[in-house]
Amino acid sequence: MRQKVRTTRRLGPALATLCLASGVAALLPASASASAATEPDGGRVGDHGYTAQIRRTEFGIPHVLAHDYGGLGYGYGYAFAQDNLCQLADQVLTLRGERSRYLGPAETTAEGTPNLASDTYHQGLRQAGTVRRLLDRPAPLGPTPELRRMVEGYAAGYNRYLRDTGTAQLPDPTCKGKPWVGPISAMDIWNLVYEVDGAAGAAAFQQAIATATPPTVGKSTKPLRAPTAARGTTAGGPAPASAKPSTSPSNGAGPRRGELGSNGWALGRDATRGRDGMLLANPHLSWIGGDRFYQVQLTIPGVIDVAGAGIYGTPLVEIGHTRTLAWTHTTSYADHSSLYRLTLAPGDPTSYLVDGKAVPMARRTVPVTVRGADGKLSTVSATLYTSRYGPVLADGWTRTEAYALRDANADNLRSMNEWLAIGRATSVAELTQAHQTYQGIPWTYTIATDSNGTAYFNDSSAVPHVTDDQLERCSLPGADEDLPGVLDGSTSACDWGSDPDAAVPGVFGPGHQPRLTRTDYVANSNNDSALTNPEAPLTGYPRMYHAGGPIGPRAQLGLQMIAGRRDGSDGLGAPGFTLPTLQASMLGNRNHTAELGRDDAVAMCRAHPVLTATDGTEVDVRAACDVLAAWDMRDDPDSRGAVLWKAFRTRVGGPYPWWRVAYDPAQPLTTPRGLNGDEPRVRGALADAVRQLAAGKLPLDAPIGALQRWAGIPLPGCSGGEGCFNVVNATPTAGSGGATRPSSPDDHASGSSFIMATELTPQGPRTRTILTYGQSANPASPHYTDQTVLFSQKRWVTERFTEAEIAADPRLRTTVLRG
């Protein structure tokens, strides 16, 4: 059958109804069965037999309709390529370990890893056949047949768009005409999935794995920074982009980025005026690189109908809703990997002792093709070293000891099975069954609700099975108590255990996982699981889940916002959540540390109009005092005083009493509080902030939108550490060079990414969304910043979920794909 693409302005309501009623057969003929050729690595490269329809509504949001999973993936891959082919091509270049071949070894990935180290790591994975072995397993550990067809279709849809358009005519200048752009395979997508699943483990340590070499005589080695290596966190958070994994428990919505944060609320029938379920999804990831979200609706009539967003290159919805279920994720506070310290065999730095016996490290020589400055290609080889626990790391490798990483997601491709099952679920009960069947969520909490008004929380992520007793016996001296620490690798008594209900060995099973079901609410802002709902604390779980610590100002604010809406004390009207009040709560842009300490700061500077900076300089702060006093304590783009507070607040902290009332575990929601203006270092911080703004030629009353922007558009929000619920971090020039990578090494942007407020009414879901950076990473696309403008102005997109709603859009554009 000759391949066809047909694009029309609108699909009439009658035709839309016909498609729905007849399983799309009237429009998309199911005549040819899949007969695509197969690549040696298992990726389908042909597309005969795939059929799909892509309906794009306002802001370029695609609604993909098909009659089978292969066609659904085909339409999704095609639509995504229309918007973001260059970004996915760049990711595939990375995952194939070919960046040094085309771009040279000294450049870096969007995450900051040098190309040569990135290529060595990924070529090593390919040589080891890790992903291929996982694909060879039957479901539920390996992909289900439906998922395999969807991934194959996704790759074929991408390739179809590239073939139809041609590399030389691509609309994105980022990769137009580049020699590294070409067809992809299903294996490329599976490699991407594996990278996402490992983001809290090995994928966060690529450089340390790729550059690990045994010491030689006289060699000086860096000591291991154990706390920074032990936790790879960013969900949900990622940015500024950095190759160094963050270890702060308040960081993030996903691994490998800087200070970030995600928020997730599931509201039950006792918290909503309509007595139904409502959900707020607010993941925070980097706005630069491959951790961006793409919004889509995927429909096979009578089989699956799910809307929401997924990480670039993954062929599913990972945060979203069906007709009667809505869910989101935030980064789990638990550990998802462990460091083991290896005691090396005397005289042999590539062997280590276990129970007194020497065990040689496995070695793998990895060649990487490198382009020189003269354009000539050569080969550079590196040797990767692996222990019984996992890869050996560069840092801390001396002649007597080394460190290895064991990743709880090293065998995980199950995540996509689970997200596909959730996308078909109709209730919290069915979502829970998906958790227990696949156990594939890699490093996030799950927050969900359904139309019955049941609110649900679960940490079903992959957590190493290290018992509290083992932590007592096996944690080595000097390990940070708030991290998994470093475990003793010289004895098998410190190996991970397992649970009989766990899908795979080495992790805790569902019986050990924190979970809570309520009819009022569950909430998380990357705090630990203990205060998911303060009225029902989650306690008594293994220490690897890290429950019970201080929750931080962002999480405190989130819980206070829920309490204020439930009793009507927040100024938004009668008690109980409605969709408009949920939206208003999300974008209120309150700054909680300002609410806790701004008045004290004003009193301090009015009592001491001249303060001493940390270098001894006397600084007149009277004007700063007036600015802070007039500030509305919000981080709206035009809020004046927010920049000054940011400069001040980021300098306050450390082992001194900068709060008058210290944190009290018995009062986790109301302590700490009261800025201590009597402390000289607090006074010095304000003086330093005033000088910083002067040095940067920023007025003291500069609005926050002057400091953080995306492609010139002022952004709201601040960091979670400052106490903003709506977390945003950006440089003034971020986004000016596109979203594939920063326009300069210092550019970054991260935070609120895909925002979704959903009410599951008896008549169906009512949903409002904002994809803060738009559907496309292409700066030439009309959908590069169209939703950034909405975000800046607190405007939302009204989702079109039903066939009638889609057909009623006057901007509707329809593309019919026939293979």
Side-chain angles (χ1 to χ4, degrees):
M1 179 183 295
R2 188 168 62 90
Q3 298 167 10
K4 297 179 182 178
V5 176
R6 187 176 77 226
T7 302
T8 61
R9 287 182 57 86
R10 287 177 54 84
L11 174 68
L15 184 54
T17 303
L18 177 63
C19 291
L20 185 64
S22 59
V24 251
L27 183 60
L28 304 178
S31 54
S33 61
S35 58
T38 300
E39 290 185 355
D41 68 358
R44 293 174 58 161
V45 295
D47 55 2
H48 295 292
Y50 292 121
T51 58
Q53 181 190 98
I54 304 166
R55 288 88 53 83
R56 286 191 184 264
T57 54
E58 61 263 68
F59 301 99
I61 298 169
H63 307 256
V64 182
L65 185 66
H67 57 66
D68 59 24
Y69 282 101
L72 196 62
Y74 189 60
Y76 190 0
Y78 189 95
F80 183 82
Q82 286 179 304
D83 294 320
N84 296 296
L85 183 140
C86 288
Q87 178 61 61
L88 186 50
D90 183 81
Q91 291 174 263
V92 168
L93 184 69
T94 299
L95 296 166
R96 290 179 177 176
E98 295 182 338
R99 299 190 69 84
S100 298
R101 178 189 187 99
Y102 289 99
L103 307 176
E107 296 293 327
T108 65
T109 66
E111 291 73 32
T113 305
N115 282 350
L116 184 57
S118 173
D119 290 343
T120 301
Y121 171 81
H122 288 104
Q123 288 281 10
L125 276 179
R126 291 168 70 88
Q127 273 196 29
T130 303
V131 176
R132 167 54 62 199
R133 285 198 302 274
L134 298 178
L135 286 172
D136 287 342
R137 301 187 302 184
L141 300 184
T144 64
E146 298 90 346
L147 183 59
R148 291 178 190 271
R149 291 194 293 271
M150 197 163 180
V151 170
E152 291 165 355
Y154 187 94
Y158 172 102
N159 293 342
R160 170 69 179 279
Y161 172 75
L162 178 62
R163 184 170 63 250
D164 290 352
T165 305
T167 305
Q169 283 75 46
L170 289 172
D172 188 344
T174 307
C175 71
K176 181 178 181 179
K178 300 295 185 182
W180 46 269
V181 178
I184 65 172
S185 70
M187 183 60 73
D188 291 317
I189 301 303
W190 288 120
N191 286 333
L192 188 151
V193 168
Y194 187 75
E195 180 99 339
V196 170
D197 287 350
F205 291 83
Q206 294 179 18
Q207 187 169 351
I209 293 168
T211 60
T213 56
T216 57
V217 175
K219 177 183 176 182
S220 174
T221 61
K222 294 189 296 181
L224 179 75
R225 301 183 300 272
T228 64
R231 182 195 300 271
T233 58
T234 27
S242 169
K244 178 181 176 182
S246 167
T247 64
S248 168
S250 64
N251 289 355
R256 293 178 296 130
R257 300 291 183 274
E259 198 279 338
L260 299 166
S262 295
N263 304 306
W265 294 353
L267 306 171
R269 55 184 174 271
D270 293 338
T272 63
R273 281 198 223 163
R275 302 285 295 171
D276 47 24
M278 298 180 69
L279 184 99
L280 174 65
N282 179 217
H284 302 169
L285 291 175
S286 178
W287 290 23
I288 296 170
D291 287 333
R292 287 161 57 105
F293 282 99
Y294 187 73
Q295 187 172 357
V296 69
Q297 181 176 3
L298 302 174
T299 305
I300 301 174
V303 178
I304 186 172
D305 194 9
V306 59
I311 296 292
Y312 274 23
T314 59
L316 295 169
V317 169
E318 286 134 12
I319 289 176
H321 69 87
T322 64
R323 179 177 172 80
T324 54
L325 173 75
W327 80 96
T328 189
H329 301 284
T330 61
T331 297
S332 166
Y333 208 75
D335 298 325
H336 301 101
S337 59
S338 295
L339 279 176
Y340 279 91
R341 190 174 76 187
L342 309 179
T343 299
L344 301 181
D348 184 1
T350 61
S351 293
Y352 56 100
L353 301 177
V354 179
D355 297 335
K357 296 181 180 180
V359 180
M361 296 177 185
R363 307 183 191 195
R364 182 178 302 278
T365 300
V366 178
V368 174
T369 301
V370 173
R371 180 174 297 276
D374 59 0
K376 294 182 179 179
L377 300 180
S378 61
T379 300
V380 174
S381 294
T383 301
L384 302 183
Y385 295 85
T386 306
S387 72
R388 70 200 298 262
Y389 307 107
V392 179
L393 306 180
D395 289 353
W397 196 345
T398 71
R399 285 182 289 278
T400 59
E401 65 184 32
Y403 293 83
L405 180 77
R406 186 170 181 188
D407 183 359
N409 286 293
D411 60 355
N412 189 4
L413 276 185
R414 307 180 303 278
S415 61
M416 295 294 120
N417 284 341
E418 186 159 342
W419 274 309
L420 181 57
I422 293 173
R424 294 190 297 242
T426 62
S427 65
V428 162
E430 291 184 10
L431 180 146
T432 303
Q433 185 59 53
H435 278 335
Q436 294 176 346
T437 299
Y438 298 107
Q439 298 178 30
I441 300 299
W443 38 261
T444 62
Y445 298 132
T446 301
I447 297 107
T449 188
D450 59 22
S451 57
N452 292 322
T454 302
Y456 173 78
F457 168 91
N458 189 14
D459 187 355
S460 65
S461 62
V463 177
H465 193 292
V466 181
T467 66
D468 293 359
D469 178 64
Q470 280 182 301
L471 285 175
E472 293 291 336
R473 292 185 290 104
C474 296
S475 295
L476 297 175
D480 190 319
E481 291 182 357
D482 189 46
L483 299 169
V486 178
L487 302 179
D488 185 354
S490 69
T491 171
S492 58
C494 297
D495 286 355
W496 292 357
S498 194
D499 278 341
D501 60 344
V504 294
V507 298
F508 286 113
H512 274 115
Q513 296 166 353
R515 64 164 58 96
L516 184 64
T517 301
R518 302 278 296 181
T519 56
D520 50 1
Y521 73 90
V522 297
N524 185 264
S525 292
N526 296 123
N527 47 298
D528 66 54
S529 58
L531 293 180
T532 296
N533 185 311
E535 295 180 19
L538 291 171
T539 59
Y541 294 95
R543 282 171 51 193
M544 293 294 283
Y545 286 95
H546 294 282
I551 65 172
R554 176 167 57 89
Q556 284 183 332
L557 176 60
L559 292 171
Q560 289 181 14
M561 288 161 61
I562 292 173
R565 184 79 302 270
R566 292 189 67 200
D567 64 18
S569 63
D570 60 358
L572 295 177
F577 278 96
T578 62
L579 192 56
T581 58
L582 182 59
Q583 294 172 252
S585 298
M586 172 64 231
L587 296 184
N589 293 326
R590 291 168 57 183
N591 187 310
H592 192 48
T593 59
E595 295 173 349
L596 294 174
R598 189 279 305 268
D599 291 347
D600 294 317
V602 171
M604 174 187 72
C605 68
R606 284 187 169 155
H608 306 280
V610 177
L611 296 176
T612 303
T614 54
D615 66 356
T617 303
E618 297 292 308
V619 179
D620 186 331
V621 296
R622 287 175 294 181
C625 192
D626 293 339
V627 169
L628 290 177
W631 179 35
D632 60 5
M633 292 187 292
R634 296 181 185 267
D635 279 78
D636 292 326
D638 58 354
S639 291
R640 296 185 178 274
V643 170
L644 176 58
W645 184 261
K646 176 187 284 287
F648 168 56
R649 175 62 187 84
T650 54
R651 283 171 167 73
V652 175
Y656 60 88
W658 50 282
W659 290 115
R660 291 192 184 277
V661 178
Y663 173 73
D664 181 355
Q667 303 178 68
L669 301 183
T670 57
T671 59
R673 63 179 182 269
L675 193 70
N676 185 4
D678 297 329
E679 168 58 52
R681 283 164 289 194
V682 172
R683 297 181 187 179
L686 182 57
D688 288 345
V690 171
R691 295 182 69 197
Q692 178 196 351
L693 266 61
K697 298 182 179 179
L698 278 171
L700 295 176
D701 65 346
I704 193 66
L707 186 69
Q708 54 189 25
R709 306 172 82 86
W710 179 256
I713 299 167
L715 301 178
C718 69
S719 70
E722 290 174 71
C724 277
F725 188 76
N726 183 17
V727 171
V728 174
N729 290 286
T731 51
T733 55
S736 59
T740 301
R741 58 182 52 252
S743 55
S744 76
D746 296 326
D747 269 354
H748 66 267
S750 65
S752 289
S753 303
F754 174 64
I755 308 174
M756 182 181 76
T758 299
E759 181 177 15
L760 300 170
T761 75
Q763 294 75 38
R766 297 173 59 234
T767 303
R768 307 292 182 264
T769 65
I770 312 173
L771 186 63
T772 55
Y773 35 65
Q775 286 288 89
S776 179
N778 173 12
S781 169
H783 304 304
Y784 180 60
T785 58
D786 53 354
Q787 293 195 59
T788 312
V789 174
L790 299 184
F791 182 51
S792 180
Q793 299 174 357
K794 298 187 181 182
R795 295 162 53 203
W796 298 67
V797 177
T798 298
E799 182 191 76
R800 297 178 181 273
F801 184 73
T802 67
E803 289 296 314
E805 290 168 343
I806 294 168
D809 183 3
R811 291 161 292 275
L812 184 66
R813 299 291 185 273
T814 299
T815 299
V816 177
L817 298 173
R818 293 173 176 161

